[in-house]
Amino acid sequence: MPKLWNETIDAHRAAVRTAVMDTTAALVAEHGLASVTMSQIAKESGIGRATLYKYFPDTEAILLAWHERQIGGHLDLLVEARDRAVGPGERLKAVLEAFALISHESRRHHDTDLSAFLHRDQHVTEAQQRLHGMVRDLVAEGVRTGDLRGDIAPGELATYCLHALTAAGDLPSKAAVRRLVSVTLTGLRPDDTP
């Protein structure tokens, strides 16, 4: 097959997958995890059930693919935030603020069956490890430059930051989220008292 034809088919398949994932996420948000059927998804996506089954075996597989895409997007945002900032302190602040804002904006599904289902998957664990590693490395860089405290291991400080900032999901505004980031960063500063 010509290259252009293959690219067109691949683009079409990607568009169908995206439409199915987005439609499923919207239906589950509206009706609940247990109420959505493959027939509904096919109908709302504008494709036949047989076509839908060529892409996904069931609703759960669609939701896991959607969530994996969401997590990948979040990790990309964190990397972009890190890479835009200059200096160890600013890079750490940018990543922590981006993480806290993501936590704040995704609070809509924290206490649902959907959240419990999605967060038990392996890709979540892998993403958490990548995030922890990114923050740990930024903290270690700040320790080397003397900007951050060196009396506690960078991995422990990364854990402290990430756990503290998950509270952003319960905050009422972005301004409150930024204040939480500021308080968290204060805990990382070197202790100058004798």
Side-chain angles (χ1 to χ4, degrees):
M1 271 189 250
K3 184 177 178 183
L4 181 60
W5 181 253
N6 283 338
E7 289 173 2
T8 303
I9 291 173
D10 290 344
H12 172 74
R13 287 181 180 149
V16 170
R17 280 183 60 84
T18 297
V20 167
M21 289 186 286
D22 292 342
T23 298
T24 304
L27 286 169
V28 169
E30 183 179 342
H31 302 289
L33 180 60
S35 299
V36 177
T37 66
M38 291 293 275
S39 294
Q40 283 177 293
I41 295 167
K43 181 180 177 187
E44 293 294 320
S45 297
I47 60 174
R49 280 181 50 207
T51 301
L52 177 58
Y53 281 106
K54 288 180 183 178
Y55 287 87
F56 297 101
D58 53 35
T59 306
E60 289 81 10
I62 300 169
L63 288 171
L64 290 173
W66 172 83
H67 195 240
E68 188 169 0
R69 184 188 70 186
Q70 296 297 105
I71 288 173
H74 291 161
L75 287 171
D76 290 344
L77 287 174
L78 295 171
V79 168
E80 287 174 26
R82 179 197 66 197
D83 293 348
R84 275 194 315 265
V86 177
E90 287 302 310
R91 281 194 292 274
L92 178 62
K93 179 181 179 186
V95 168
L96 294 182
E97 188 170 293
F99 171 72
L101 288 169
I102 289 167
S103 294
H104 175 70
E105 291 168 6
S106 65
R107 71 186 181 275
R108 292 181 300 273
H109 72 265
H110 277 289
D111 296 321
T112 65
D113 292 338
L114 177 59
S115 179
F117 169 73
L118 293 174
H119 289 116
R120 68 180 183 194
D121 195 60
Q122 180 64 29
H123 69 268
V124 174
T125 302
E126 292 167 3
Q128 289 169 338
Q129 291 169 346
R130 280 188 58 199
L131 172 60
H132 187 274
M134 181 188 306
V135 174
R136 181 200 59 228
D137 293 347
L138 291 168
V139 169
E141 188 179 359
V143 169
R144 281 192 298 277
T145 62
D147 295 328
L148 301 178
R149 62 188 308 153
D151 60 329
I152 299 173
E156 289 180 40
L157 291 175
T159 300
Y160 154 75
C161 291
L162 296 174
H163 281 284
L165 295 176
T166 58
D170 295 325
L171 295 177
S173 67
K174 290 182 179 182
V177 170
R178 289 186 178 93
R179 288 191 296 273
L180 177 63
V181 171
S182 178
V183 168
T184 303
L185 286 168
T186 299
L188 301 179
R189 292 193 187 118
D191 186 8
D192 294 330
T193 58

